[in-house]
Amino acid sequence: MKHLSRFVLIALSLIMTLPVLSARELNIVPQPSYMDIAAEGEFIVTPKTCIVVVDDLWAPAERFVEDMQQHFPDSKPMRTVKRGKGIKIRLDKFVPAEGYEMTISEEEGVLIIGGDEAGVYYGLQTLRHIIVTNDGKVPYGFIADEPTFAYRGAHFDVSRHFFSVEDVKRYIDILAAHKLNRLHWHLTDDQGWRIEIKAYPELTEKGSIRKETLVGHGLDPKWLDGEPYGGYYTQEEIRDVVKYAAKRYITIIPEIEMPGHSQAALHALPWLGCHEQQVDVWTMWGVTPEVLCAGKETTYKFLEDVLKEVIELFPSELIHIGGDECPKDRWKECEHCQAMMKAEGLESEEQLQGYLVARIEKFLNANGRRMIGWDEILDGGVTPTATVMSWRGVNAGIYAAERGNDVVMTPMTLCYLNFYQTKSREGEGLQIGGYIPFEMVYAWNPYEGMSDEAKSHIIGVQCNMWSEYLKSMKWVEKMLLPRLAAMSEVQWANDRRNAETIRSRMETLRKFYDACGWNYAPYYFEGRE
Ligand code: TNX
């Protein structure tokens, strides 16, 4: 009996060690679709390893060289060559779009086969992650990977606080490393117009500067800081950022807010309003009654002129027109708005907003683009061709998807990374409110409560970064990380999220964040709720 139990014990311990021997763990976020890692053997990447480029994949190879330069700052850049052994990259149409297959073996070194250029890039991001967190040792094995959602977005509000070109590029770098592919750039709002428009120089000359900023909660003037604040991007800078993003396989979707959230434009060009009286670039947060007049033809001409320049600057098919939080007080008292309603047979001010949105959509379509807007665009009777961004919960998104509209899910209670991350809020500074810890983002299934038909219209998922209380990039990073990792796993690996392994995988990702010099919040790692 004693013998037997010893025998059983030995057998058991053998069985228990077997999986460890036959499959080494690789901690990667977002989780790849499939991994088979050999028990032994590894390819060691050093700054001397060559990148062997097939199929003219020089662009992703160059990005990889640049990324690795950051991790090997004292060495010469890695070399890209046409043949040889090292890290070989090529294409194959049998690999899905944005997906890749990676083989690491003695014969091949590292071989990455992408479904397209972006797929190769994501394969190289996974490789970079392994190299950086594992001292250059890449275990022999095979990885296959592809995204769940085609649209994997993060939004960045640069109106409430302005962020330099350098900062935006850093934001883009962080998104790319998490395999996101859309940056929703919130360029205009009540508190500042941040994009140069040649036809209306006043927009940035006047509309990009506010007298002061609200630095406390509530609309109490005692919280106004008395310091003028401003900033904007020239068109040349915008082009530079768009190119920088494209090189990282990120499409920038610009947002020009209309007809609400437009007080900065109204300050610059008072004739855009109903009463045409001078208003300030807003110094408070929230929703202002000052909105664009929807009754005057001059407003439509203005919007089209602005969008014409925006279209020139941004190749994105989707153009965001805002559409959220537009109080109708001014319209109710405006002779132009009332006359327009009468002429068009509109019964309510809601319908007047629907009329404006539909007219703008037509203009965008005529110029080869498509419209995306916040879910309020549903209220005035949205067209079936608009894409809807569901932020006031998930129901608006489900409703729109069921009617056949494309939908991006970004419900406030789960996706607003400007909300607090802990219950106690200790060390979090003053933020706008809310509570969204890492785990809450991670546990979210964006398909919940949806029919199969509706599911097919969910093109993707997005997190948002509103900057009312975010004055510096350091703070933005602290709000973004590590929750973006949870978000990226919902976006890229929704069907294979694993709450049991995420903690240990995040410990590895943390090493990567340290190596990149990104400022992340410590709470999740400390186990603080
Ligand atoms: C709601 S989301 C807004 C923003 C604010 C944000 C603050 C949306 C379409 N509108 O204007 O900045 O809440 O969290």
Side-chain angles (χ1 to χ4, degrees), residues 197-251:
I197 298 295
K198 305 255 192 216
Y200 303 97
E202 303 90 334
L203 286 171
T204 42
E205 278 165 18
K206 296 181 181 167
S208 71
I209 304 157
R210 62 176 176 257
K211 286 185 190 148
E212 50 191 341
T213 300
L214 190 80
V215 291
H217 274 169
L219 301 185
D220 192 329
K222 80 172 179 214
W223 293 120
L224 289 167
D225 70 356
E227 306 223 3
Y229 185 90
Y232 70 89
Y233 310 103
T234 63
Q235 293 204 348
E236 203 179 324
E237 286 172 324
I238 299 258
R239 281 204 177 88
D240 176 42
V241 174
V242 168
K243 220 156 112 198
Y244 186 89
K247 283 183 168 178
R248 285 148 189 86
Y249 305 91
I250 290 179
T251 303

Side-chain angles (χ1 to χ4, degrees), residues 133-152:
T133 56
N134 206 30
D135 298 322
K137 288 177 265 171
V138 191
Y140 290 162
F142 175 75
I143 303 175
D145 204 2
E146 67 179 297
T148 307
F149 290 105
Y151 181 117
R152 305 178 301 279

Side-chain angles (χ1 to χ4, degrees), residues 155 157 160 186 189-191 255 257 261 285-287 320 322-325 374-376 389 391-392 410 412 416 418-419 432-433 464-468:
H155 145 292
D157 169 10
R160 275 54 179 274
H186 187 81
D189 213 302
D190 301 310
Q191 296 84 359
E255 179 181 358
E257 275 273 20
H261 284 289
W285 313 127
V287 179
H320 205 300
D324 58 314
E325 300 179 321
W374 299 109
D375 60 46
E376 283 93 334
M389 215 167 237
W391 76 276
R392 295 176 299 178
T410 179
M412 183 163 67
Y416 278 34
N418 53 315
F419 283 12
I432 198 152
N464 298 327
M465 190 63 78
W466 299 99
S467 61
E468 285 95 334

